[in-house]
Amino acid sequence: MKRILGLIGMLAVSLASNASAVNKLVDEPDSVYLFSYASNNPTHGLQFAWSSNKQNWFPVGNGQSFLKSDFGPWGSQKKMYSPYLVYGQDEMWHCIWSLNNTDKVFAHAASPNLVDWNRQSYPEPKLGSNVLRPGVKYDKSQGNYIITYTDSQGKFFATTTRDFKNYSATKEIPASQYISSATVILPSGETSGQIQRVAWATADRLIKSCELKQYKNAQREETTSQDAQRFAGLKPVDATFTVQADKAKPISNMLMGIFFEDINYAADGGLYAELIQNRDFEYNLHDKRGRDKTWNSTHSWLLKGENTSFTIDSVSPIHANNLHYAVLDTKTSGASLVNAGFDGIPVKKGEKYNFSVFAKGLSAQSGKLKVRLVSKSGDVLAETALTVAPGAWKTLKATLTANATVKDAQLELQPLTAGRLAVDMISLFPQNTYKARKNGMRADLAQTVADLRPRFVRFPGGCASHGDGLGNIYHWKNTIGPLEARKPQRNLWNYHQSAGLGYFEYFQFCEDIGAAPLPVVAAGVPCQNSGDGGNGQQGGIPMDQMDEYVQDVLDLVEWANGDVNTKWGKLRAQAGHPKPFNLKYVGVGNEDLITDVFEERFTMIFNAVKKKYPEITVIGTVGPFFEGSDYREGWDIASKLGVPMVDEHYYEKAGWFINNQDFYDKYDRSKPKVYLGEYAATMPRGGANYETALSEAIYLTSLERNADVVSMSSYAPLLAKEGHTQWNPDMIYFNNTEVKPTVAYQVQKLYGQNSGDQYLPAIANLSNNQDAVKKRVAISVVRDSQTKDLIVKLVNLLPVAVNSTTDLKNITLAGTKGVKSLMQGNPADKNIVPVVTEIPVSEKLAMELLPYSFTVLRVKTK
Ligand code: AHR
């Protein structure tokens, strides 16, 4: 351990100073040869080996990758072939590499030290069938870099650049001018790459960065299963916490919120209470990118019986956004069109369901249509009959009351008259939605979400906001207005988004649960992992369409907040909400790859919103991790532009959360505020349990401590339907009839229901000073200025009890009792819930914190 700490110290010195300032050890060379090469696994990226004699090569960090390609989607792309490294005139290292066999692009990234790499770019030199084995050298005579490459047809090409941003027109060149690599024998065999002579400090920095990485990785892997060994012989710990009421500081009262994304069937088939699947016949092969041949307009529908045909037509649709509808041609009545719902249709005895359908007769005479809810065993649960008149589309409505409780009923539409009729937008909605909203939310799920007491809701994603390719960007305007005119689309998580849960419903839901809306719009670029429809993140909305896109973002603010006389405010009013929604936050971008393409578009959007709506807090994006080039560059852009807040994301192992509680203690308070928009602790092999929840609870004490800079946070993802999950862990699992909040939910709920707007620092004194012990005991004290309640949160992640005394001097208690919520149990458990009791309280508050426990104490003060 000492050595590691020493290494960290040395690394800090070597990173902060130039090579000559580093104290040299006796046996260190002045300079060495550094060999750069590609890993055998192309997704693993750039590696290094060093040698003092060009004979014996030592791979740095045992194959550690220093730069990975970020081009294209995970799985099929993100590959680096033939990296070529050169030290530039600008004292930066420049690396170029080829990406695949098909795209006519190569990649470039630069670094000041070979450890930290700046944003990537993907120049397109145009000539050749593809770009293979690029090479680069500086041409002193011309003052520019020459880049050469070959292609699959064996031709050679060259382009030049001064800045790796602008490139000259590409020319075909003779083979003799092609810049080729060197070959060396590494322990793993013959490898091609480049050899450079570098100061030892350069190689040493690479080596030390690997050691630091290993140290941090080991911290990440810490689990309670090692506790018997890690804490062998550990005795119960005494702890005193002295609360410093006089040092109270204001903190954000928006810290605890939620992140809703339509992932894991969270919307259709989930929170959105519609019971009919594919009600609009708009399911499309493309929703699943052609991988499921049954995923088409007829999905979830079945014709049962004979003498009737069921076809899909698009000749005269209800609306251009809703092209497909069903045509039933009946010779003799008896057959039914059956919808299976989302894993069946759950109905409850005595409850009422609103049925509606757009229908039109295609024959001369009116026809009758029987509508029934039927159990799997054929019992009729509810029934009605409607008349379908010839002519234009008409909406027909009926109320069905279920005569029994059934988990998996089906809806049947049975034409009773011979002839042709067309049906579309076939809907069955429980009347019992959350707050009885029409087109509203599933009551039990919504209540579970509301119980978190979220201060805000971020929506509609995540990746779903910026979409899989340009054509899949989520456009809020497509999701408002009459349901039949909304534009359904492919959900990037590989299913269908009906847009029934659209922006109006999101905003309405926020209002219903007392949370601020936080819509996230794409920053003019789709998801960096886009695999659908071409060049993904490396593209971006064409500049000649950006003004229109920026206007869409401005229109969103007008739609939410504008007067009823404004163009967009009027639409909101027509939808049933004349009062403004009081939108205060708009997220722009989600985990985007920070490229020039991104920066240009983000800046346009940010500046436009800032100019027209300076009162709106724009939340920028700083990549998917807590470190790396997107994080650094995202922060740089935000600081440069004065973006008020940035959205950080990290999904990490429990050990990371325990070992990084000082993450925000180090943040510069003069820079943008932080929204920790997505985080969750996972086990080494994925999943979550009480251990991960406790690590979140302990980390949340550090978020409260830093809630002067961390203004908002949301665990992610929120919802997951059993049998349809694309992501694990999630906060709340559910099926059609049950809601199953996880232990992570319990922690979030305790924080959400017990947050404050003032933080009172506490000095901790432990009888055991081991670092591992200190990191596992944490306190956070906040006060809610409205209720005057003082809330003390105590986490004990040790396998032994902590006998705690919390000194509340200078705080005047209003009574002698407090409410204690306690979670305690085995770290591997998944079903621990808080137990709430009343306990006596006094200025010197003594509490035994049980092993592996989370305690929240709420007391009244004067
Ligand atoms: O929360 C699931 C996904 O994780 C989000 O869509 C994305 O932002 C992140 O990568």
Side-chain angles (χ1 to χ4, degrees):
M1 168 65 96
K2 260 193 187 150
R3 170 166 161 71
I4 293 290
L5 291 176
L7 284 171
I8 296 170
M10 282 169 73
L11 182 67
V13 172
S14 67
L15 287 175
S17 9
N18 64 31
S20 57
V22 177
N23 287 342
K24 195 163 123 21
L25 299 180
V26 186
D27 53 354
E28 283 176 353
D30 286 332
S31 62
V32 287
Y33 295 100
L34 188 69
F35 182 63
S36 52
Y37 59 102
S39 162
N40 286 337
N41 172 356
T43 58
H44 203 56
L46 181 69
Q47 303 189 343
F48 294 105
W50 68 273
S51 169
S52 54
N53 56 12
K54 287 201 196 174
Q55 305 279 318
N56 304 323
W57 289 96
F58 302 97
V60 177
N62 223 350
Q64 173 71 52
S65 165
F66 286 87
L67 169 65
K68 289 184 179 176
S69 181
D70 226 327
F71 181 85
W74 296 108
S76 58
Q77 297 283 324
K78 301 224 186 290
K79 293 177 179 166
M80 175 187 283
Y81 297 100
S82 325
Y84 201 110
L85 188 73
V86 67
Y87 190 65
Q89 296 300 298
D90 53 357
E91 301 188 351
M92 295 286 280
W93 292 95
H94 292 272
C95 185
I96 60 172
W97 66 95
S98 63
L99 298 157
N100 56 40
N101 249 326
T102 46
D103 289 290
K104 286 190 194 176
V105 286
F106 65 94
H108 166 264
S111 166
N113 54 23
L114 296 176
V115 176
D116 304 311
W117 287 87
N118 296 348
R119 69 182 70 174
Q120 299 183 10
S121 64
Y122 308 102
E124 199 179 340
K126 300 236 165 39
L127 288 189
S129 53
N130 44 14
V131 182
L132 304 178
R133 294 182 290 285
V136 53
K137 70 176 180 201
Y138 187 67
D139 179 357
K140 241 191 193 155
S141 64
Q142 298 299 315
N144 61 15
Y145 299 90
I146 303 173
I147 292 171
T148 67
Y149 63 93
T150 182
D151 73 353
S152 309
Q153 284 160 17
K155 294 184 178 164
F156 297 95
F157 304 92
T159 178
T160 60
T161 182
R162 287 177 198 280
D163 54 7
F164 292 93
K165 281 184 185 296
N166 303 296
Y167 294 84
S168 68
T170 310
K171 286 188 307 200
E172 193 168 343
I173 51 163
S176 57
Q177 290 176 19
Y178 173 67
I179 303 163
S180 53
S181 290
T183 301
V184 306
I185 312 278
L186 294 180
S188 53
E190 197 174 274
T191 309
S192 80
Q194 296 80 53
I195 302 172
Q196 331 261 350
R197 186 87 187 162
V198 298
W200 167 245
T202 302
D204 197 36
R205 182 180 293 122
L206 292 171
I207 294 164
K208 291 208 171 87
S209 80
C210 292
E211 288 169 342
L212 182 59
K213 202 165 203 156
Q214 274 166 20
Y215 170 70
K216 288 191 168 172
N217 280 343
Q219 285 192 328
R220 264 197 184 99
E221 301 299 330
E222 287 177 10
T223 69
T224 54
S225 62
Q226 304 148 350
D227 278 359
Q229 206 184 347
R230 178 181 299 116
F231 296 117
L234 182 70
K235 300 271 172 335
V237 175
D238 294 333
T240 55
F241 302 107
T242 311
V243 179
Q244 299 175 293
D246 53 328
K247 299 220 165 86
K249 65 172 178 183
I251 55 169
S252 165
N253 60 1
M254 299 290 291
L255 184 63
M256 301 304 295
I258 55 172
F259 161 52
F260 179 91
E261 173 164 29
D262 187 0
I263 182 174
N264 308 316
Y265 275 65
D268 293 310
L271 187 60
Y272 182 53
E274 172 64 81
L275 294 169
I276 303 301
Q277 181 161 197
N278 192 15
R279 67 180 176 193
D280 52 7
F281 302 95
E282 296 303 322
Y283 275 31
N284 191 301
L285 278 179
H286 187 61
D287 292 341
K288 286 185 179 281
R289 297 180 65 192
R291 288 177 192 134
D292 178 353
K293 298 295 171 225
T294 69
W295 195 273
N296 55 37
S297 286
T298 66
H299 190 275
S300 303
W301 294 99
L302 182 80
L303 187 72
K304 213 171 67 182
E306 289 169 358
N307 297 322
T308 295
S309 68
F310 159 44
T311 50
I312 299 291
D313 212 338
S314 59
V315 182
S316 133
I318 308 173
H319 192 275
N321 287 343
N322 182 5
L323 268 186
H324 301 95
Y325 54 90
V327 173
L328 297 174
D329 191 348
T330 303
K331 303 276 176 281
T332 330
S333 126
S336 299
L337 182 62
V338 182
N339 187 273
F342 295 91
D343 302 333
I345 298 173
V347 291
K348 279 195 190 144
K349 185 174 176 177
E351 292 212 349
K352 290 188 165 49
Y353 297 85
N354 293 335
F355 171 81
S356 63
V357 59
F358 273 74
K360 62 176 170 181
L362 302 173
S363 306
Q365 306 296 322
S366 287
K368 283 262 174 216
L369 185 65
K370 194 199 280 180
V371 179
R372 309 197 306 180
L373 274 168
V374 182
S375 76
K376 271 204 169 149
S377 51
D379 298 331
V380 177
L381 305 166
E383 181 174 304
T384 191
L386 302 164
T387 303
V388 180
W393 287 104
K394 283 200 191 67
T395 316
L396 309 176
K397 294 184 178 171
T399 304
L400 298 175
T401 307
N403 61 21
T405 297
V406 168
K407 277 208 288 207
D408 50 0
Q410 298 188 324
L411 180 84
E412 290 187 2
L413 268 62
Q414 185 180 23
L416 299 176
T417 332
R420 292 176 75 228
L421 60 88
V423 282
D424 201 356
M425 295 303 290
I426 302 168
S427 169
L428 185 73
F429 238 89
Q431 287 189 356
N432 175 26
T433 57
Y434 186 66
K435 304 242 165 165
R437 293 280 178 207
K438 293 248 157 56
N439 198 45
M441 309 300 162
R442 182 176 141 179
D444 55 351
L445 255 185
Q447 187 58 56
T448 309
V449 170
D451 289 345
L452 288 162
R453 285 213 50 214
R455 303 306 190 275
F456 65 90
V457 182
R458 171 179 171 226
F459 57 88
C463 292
S465 300
H466 57 178
D468 187 2
L470 282 178
N472 192 239
I473 287 178
Y474 192 103
H475 293 283
W476 71 272
K477 287 182 180 173
N478 292 341
T479 74
I480 57 164
L483 294 178
E484 66 277 12
R486 295 187 187 179
K487 204 169 183 175
Q489 72 170 20
R490 163 166 191 256
N491 179 313
L492 121 165
W493 297 104
N494 284 315
Y495 55 95
H496 185 82
Q497 255 176 318
S498 73
L501 170 48
Y503 261 46
F504 184 83
E505 291 73 25
Y506 279 123
F507 275 74
Q508 179 85 79
F509 180 57
C510 290
E511 193 170 84
D512 284 347
I513 63 172
L518 195 181
V520 181
V521 297
V525 291
C527 179
Q528 66 267 40
N529 303 314
S530 293
D532 192 22
N535 56 1
Q537 167 65 57
Q538 289 70 45
I541 294 178
M543 285 314 281
D544 61 358
Q545 294 168 28
M546 270 305 289
D547 285 347
E548 196 186 330
Y549 183 74
V550 170
Q551 189 58 48
D552 281 354
V553 180
L554 297 176
D555 291 345
L556 170 59
V557 184
E558 183 178 296
W559 177 82
N561 290 352
D563 185 74
V564 293
N565 298 315
T566 60
K567 177 178 169 194
W568 291 97
K570 192 170 171 187
L571 284 184
R572 183 197 67 241
Q574 282 166 358
H577 203 285
K579 277 211 304 210
F581 274 122
N582 195 19
L583 175 66
K584 290 188 174 142
Y585 306 92
V586 174
V588 178
N590 174 66
E591 295 190 351
D592 297 298
L593 186 70
I594 307 295
T595 57
D596 294 348
V597 176
F598 165 86
E599 183 171 3
E600 193 175 13
R601 286 157 181 78
F602 176 86
T603 306
M604 282 177 81
I605 302 167
F606 172 70
N607 286 341
V609 176
K610 187 175 161 194
K611 186 163 171 217
K612 184 147 190 208
Y613 298 110
E615 70 281 12
I616 294 287
T617 299
V618 171
I619 304 180
T621 178
V622 297
F625 308 114
F626 62 88
E627 62 182 1
S629 68
D630 296 331
Y631 174 80
R632 274 185 288 105
E633 295 245 16
W635 264 101
D636 286 351
I637 293 174
S639 307
K640 184 173 78 186
L641 293 176
V643 177
M645 205 184 288
V646 296
D647 176 17
E648 296 192 344
H649 294 180
Y650 35 87
Y651 296 91
E652 278 293 341
K653 292 180 181 163
W656 186 92
F657 286 94
I658 294 168
N659 283 292
N660 286 279
Q661 291 171 59
D662 59 352
F663 191 72
Y664 294 109
D665 294 337
K666 300 175 275 198
Y667 267 44
D668 182 343
R669 267 51 191 170
S670 68
K671 292 224 169 137
K673 303 275 186 220
V674 175
Y675 165 36
L676 174 52
E678 291 182 33
Y679 73 97
T682 63
M683 292 308 291
R685 266 175 245 100
N689 55 15
Y690 181 51
E691 171 169 357
T692 53
L694 268 183
S695 75
E696 286 152 9
I698 209 161
Y699 195 72
L700 276 159
T701 64
S702 81
L703 291 192
E704 286 195 332
R705 178 170 70 243
N706 285 289
D708 55 325
V709 63
V710 183
S711 302
M712 303 163 109
S713 72
S714 47
Y715 180 101
L718 177 70
L719 296 177
K721 186 163 194 174
E722 286 178 339
H724 300 277
T725 56
Q726 290 92 34
W727 191 281
N728 200 24
D730 304 282
M731 203 206 294
I732 303 166
Y733 291 83
F734 64 93
N735 55 37
N736 279 347
T737 52
E738 297 162 296
V739 179
K740 303 178 177 179
T742 60
V743 67
Y745 170 89
Q746 305 299 347
V747 167
Q748 294 289 323
K749 186 167 143 189
L750 281 176
Y751 269 92
Q753 296 194 346
N754 293 289
S755 53
D757 50 10
Q758 283 178 349
Y759 181 80
L760 287 67
I763 299 172
N765 231 310
L766 264 57
S767 60
N768 185 316
N769 269 327
Q770 273 180 58
D771 196 44
V773 170
K774 286 198 292 185
K775 276 181 178 157
R776 284 166 172 79
V777 181
I779 184 169
S780 170
V781 184
V782 298
R783 186 160 36 206
D784 176 349
S785 58
Q786 280 198 341
T787 59
K788 289 200 179 157
D789 287 359
L790 186 82
I791 300 142
V792 183
K793 302 189 183 81
L794 290 150
V795 184
N796 176 14
L797 243 160
L798 292 170
V800 297
V802 172
N803 299 310
S804 76
T805 308
T806 306
D807 189 343
L808 299 174
K809 71 168 180 239
N810 300 329
I811 296 168
T812 319
L813 299 180
T816 54
K817 295 258 162 76
V819 178
K820 175 176 153 185
S821 306
L822 171 67
M823 293 178 70
Q824 197 270 328
N826 185 325
D829 280 356
K830 295 197 164 177
N831 295 314
I832 291 169
V833 292
V835 175
V836 182
T837 50
E838 231 185 26
I839 62 161
V841 292
S842 63
E843 201 185 89
K844 277 226 174 352
L845 197 63
M847 270 193 291
E848 185 195 20
L849 310 179
L850 296 171
Y852 302 122
S853 66
F854 175 35
T855 307
V856 180
L857 180 68
R858 196 169 180 118
V859 293
K860 298 254 164 247
T861 67
K862 285 193 180 145

